[in-house]
Structures are given as structure tokens and as C-alpha cells.
Amino acid sequence: MNRVAGAELLLDRAGVTAGMNVLDAGCGPGRITLPAARRVGQSGEVVALDIQPDMLQRLRKKLAEQSVSNVRPLLAGIGEGKTTPESFDRAFLVTVLGEIPDKTAALQEIYRALKPGGVLSITEVFPDPDIQMPDTILSLARRTGFLITPKTGGFPAFTINLIKPERS
Ligand SMILES: C[S@@+](CC[C@H](N)C(=O)[O-])C[C@H]1O[C@@H](n2cnc3c(N)ncnc32)[C@H](O)[C@@H]1O
């Protein structure tokens, strides 16, 4: 996974920089969360959301071991509405979308949680059994109101960045 969809590559693709607030939805044990926390620095924050308590426990252990203080673990399913509206510059769904039963609710929550101009970066990796194909992602994105940017990468890992429009 780290060879084909490494954290630094995915942070670059999403344009994560110092001072940003980042939502890592379906963070697992923190493969993206920890590098994101380092990149945003003390002036930024990462909210690490996962539906599995075990994953957040593993993440908390790493945060303590590495003395990381700018990550806020959040036990929730994405789509349940536990995130703060218009609070994030970037959001990630990395090999998560296929595990979410109500994908529309998930994308709607992330749309609400992003600031205008914020980016949701979705990465899918072959041969994940839950992989979502670009057409499915694009159709969900259009229904939610996101602006679509060209896919980056390809096989075995691709990323699609979706932008929440600026207010007119
Ligand atoms: C394949 S892992 C990916 C973890 C991480 N994104 C990565 O790239 O290493 C999928 C994660 O999504 C989480 N997940 C599944 N459904 C979810 C939901 N509805 N809301 C939040 N997290 C969810 C799982 O608990 C699991 O930790």
C-alpha cells in the first residue's frame, strides 16, 4: 500500500500544506493521519474519524508514542453528522468508500464539513475487494454538488479530487 499509495504522495495530490485543518475519514490506525499531522504542523489539526474503536485505540497509542498533539480522534461513522460544518480545508477517503453503506450520506456530510473551496480527495487501490470505480465516484460527486477534477494515477491506485464550490 505504501509503495503504490503512500501517505506523502496522497498528501501532495490533495495539496495539504501547513496550517490546514484536515479530516481523515476512515482513518484506520493512522497511515495517512500521522504524516498529515506532521505536514499541517502545530497551526493545523487533523480530525481522525473511524467507526471502529480498535482502530482509534491503535491510533491513540501511536499519537502518545510519537508525542503528536494536533490530532483529534473521533469515533463515528461518516454520514452520521458528527463533524463540524465548514471547518476543513481537506478531507480524505482512502480505500474507505466501498465499506460505507450509505455513500450519499457520507459524501453529503463531507461536503458540509468542508470550507468553500475545500477538497475531498478519494483514493482507491487495486485489488481492494471494496474498490469503487471512477464512474461510481463521479456520479456520487455530481449528485452531492462537488466540482470534479481529472483523475490522477491509474493502476494500481488512483485519486479523484472533488472541490466544494466557492460561494458566488
Ligand atoms: C481499508 S481501511 C483504510 C484505512 C486508511 N484510510 C488507510 O488508507 O490506511 C478502511 C477503514 O475505514 C473504516 N470505516 C469503514 N466504514 C466506515 C464509516 N462508515 N465511517 C468511518 N469509518 C469507516 C474502517 O473501520 C477502516 O478503519
Side-chain angles (χ1 to χ4, degrees):
M1 180 65 88
N2 280 328
R3 200 170 43 82
V4 298
E8 295 299 334
L9 173 70
L10 300 191
L11 295 174
D12 286 347
R13 284 182 178 173
V16 174
T17 56
M20 283 187 169
N21 289 340
V22 172
L23 173 64
D24 187 8
C27 60
R31 192 177 74 83
I32 310 296
T33 309
L34 286 153
R38 278 193 292 275
R39 189 166 306 187
V40 300
Q42 284 308 312
S43 55
E45 185 186 53
V46 181
V47 171
L49 177 152
D50 206 285
I51 201 164
Q52 291 194 64
D54 278 6
M55 292 295 172
L56 293 186
Q57 213 36 54
R58 288 168 61 187
L59 173 63
R60 281 198 185 89
K61 187 165 179 281
K62 290 183 193 171
L63 296 176
E65 284 167 358
Q66 298 176 34
S67 303
V68 177
S69 59
N70 61 341
V71 172
R72 187 155 53 88
L74 179 60
L75 180 62
I78 189 70
E80 293 173 0
K82 300 275 171 56
T83 55
T84 306
E86 301 208 348
S87 58
F88 296 101
D89 302 285
R90 298 290 183 270
F92 286 92
L93 280 172
V94 179
T95 61
V96 177
L97 193 58
E99 296 186 24
I100 302 174
D102 190 344
K103 297 175 182 41
T104 301
L107 256 66
Q108 284 172 341
E109 175 169 2
I110 294 174
Y111 186 94
R112 270 194 307 274
L114 284 168
K115 300 173 187 174
V119 174
L120 164 60
S121 191
I122 299 180
T123 295
E124 296 290 338
V125 179
F126 296 87
D128 180 349
D130 299 311
I131 189 166
Q132 299 297 293
M133 291 301 164
D135 283 357
T136 308
I137 296 170
L138 297 185
S139 139
L140 273 166
R142 280 193 200 95
R143 274 188 273 136
T144 314
F146 279 108
L147 305 174
I148 292 164
T149 68
K151 173 166 75 76
T152 44
F155 184 85
F158 68 86
T159 297
I160 297 179
N161 284 344
L162 306 174
I163 303 172
K164 178 172 177 171
E166 298 279 359
R167 286 194 198 90
S168 51

